[in-house]
Amino acid sequence: MIVLFQNGIGIEEPFVKRFPYNSLVSSVSFVSVKQEDNGVLKHGGFSMLAAGVHSYRRSMDEATEKLEALFDAFESQGVSCTIESDIQPYRWQKHILNGSTNPVSVICGGSSCQEMVKNDYCRRLLEETMEEIFVLGKRVTGKAFPGVDGIVDPQSATEYISSIPVPVYTSMLVDSQCKRPMERDVILKNPIDLAEKHGVSVPHMKALYALVTMVEESYIK
């Protein structure tokens, strides 16, 4: 069984095609953590995992049983876990933060999430991008988001960011600082493609995608 712990939208299908005979679990991690050095992780104040079986080899029951055994191990170490029949609303819920703070932090040149929401103009940019994600995610899934951490609209999302007691730096920002390829496709390009398919306007996401692409191309030749 393959378990994916990765941010973004549309992450599953490449693995389904590459490993058609393996069960596949899509997992969403709500974790505050920063890698400060090789093998050195600084944890924040929360951790939660949500997962669901995306595809299975023999039976759904067998794949679910294996997932339950894995999550029992996580829960024994104090990690809150939930298994969902449809994980995509949770994936879009996480993307409210991922799809906005990740690219904006890169363009800001290294700001923490808390620093971004303190600036009125940047906060407005984040909230307008988040609104696009809310609309698009509900159109794609046909479902309401689960409201993890009380995030039910853009304003509650930025308020949540402000409430986190330790600085949060995005994974895309760390990738850019280390001159690595960023997760541009799963964070921005895949949702933009879905927006075009479903007739949803996402001008902020398109602008952010263009800008982070230019940033990446400046250091990867």
Side-chain angles (χ1 to χ4, degrees):
M1 183 173 72
I2 299 172
V3 183
L4 302 180
F5 291 92
Q6 180 184 354
N7 292 331
I9 301 300
I11 70 168
E12 299 90 358
E13 290 312 311
F15 290 89
V16 172
K17 293 178 181 178
R18 178 66 179 83
F19 304 100
Y21 302 110
N22 292 83
S23 297
L24 183 70
V25 169
S26 181
S27 181
V28 182
S29 57
F30 298 84
V31 179
S32 171
V33 62
K34 180 186 179 184
Q35 182 171 345
E36 296 192 328
D37 201 349
N38 292 334
V40 179
L41 300 175
K42 182 177 181 180
H43 286 267
F46 61 93
S47 61
M48 172 191 169
L49 296 175
V53 176
H54 181 80
S55 59
Y56 53 88
R57 180 181 180 185
R58 294 188 180 89
S59 72
M60 173 66 82
D61 289 343
E62 180 187 59
T64 301
E65 184 177 337
K66 290 181 178 180
L67 176 57
E68 289 173 346
L70 175 63
F71 271 20
D72 284 345
F74 281 124
E75 289 185 322
S76 71
Q77 300 302 309
V79 179
S80 175
C81 300
T82 179
I83 297 176
E84 300 293 328
S85 59
D86 183 2
I87 193 60
Q88 293 308 314
Y90 278 85
R91 186 162 289 286
W92 280 97
Q93 172 86 48
K94 178 74 181 296
H95 203 65
I96 295 163
L97 299 181
N98 286 336
S100 55
T101 60
N102 267 280
V104 173
S105 66
V106 172
I107 297 164
C108 286
S111 299
S112 69
C113 293
Q114 290 91 333
E115 289 170 333
M116 290 189 289
V117 298
K118 284 181 180 179
N119 180 281
D120 290 341
Y121 292 100
C122 192
R123 184 185 187 115
R124 183 181 303 172
L125 172 60
L126 290 170
E127 290 179 347
E128 290 175 353
T129 305
M130 291 172 181
E131 180 62 26
E132 293 178 359
I133 296 169
F134 267 105
V135 172
L136 177 59
K138 291 176 182 178
R139 180 74 62 86
V140 171
T141 65
K143 298 179 180 180
F145 294 174
V148 176
D149 294 317
I151 296 175
V152 295
D153 56 30
Q155 290 70 37
S156 60
T158 52
E159 289 170 3
Y160 170 74
I161 291 171
S162 298
S163 72
I164 300 174
V166 295
V168 176
Y169 296 90
T170 71
S171 58
M172 185 176 278
L173 172 62
V174 174
D175 284 338
S176 70
Q177 291 174 332
C178 295
K179 309 303 181 185
R180 297 191 296 250
M182 294 179 280
E183 297 176 305
R184 293 182 293 119
D185 285 352
V186 296
I187 297 295
L188 290 166
K189 185 61 166 60
N190 290 354
I192 290 170
D193 289 344
L194 285 170
E196 293 179 353
K197 178 180 178 181
H198 290 271
V200 177
S201 177
V202 290
H204 294 81
M205 294 172 68
K206 289 181 177 179
L208 292 173
Y209 180 70
L211 292 170
V212 297
T213 297
M214 292 298 293
V215 171
E216 183 176 295
E217 289 180 352
S218 72
Y219 61 75
I220 297 182
K221 302 298 184 179

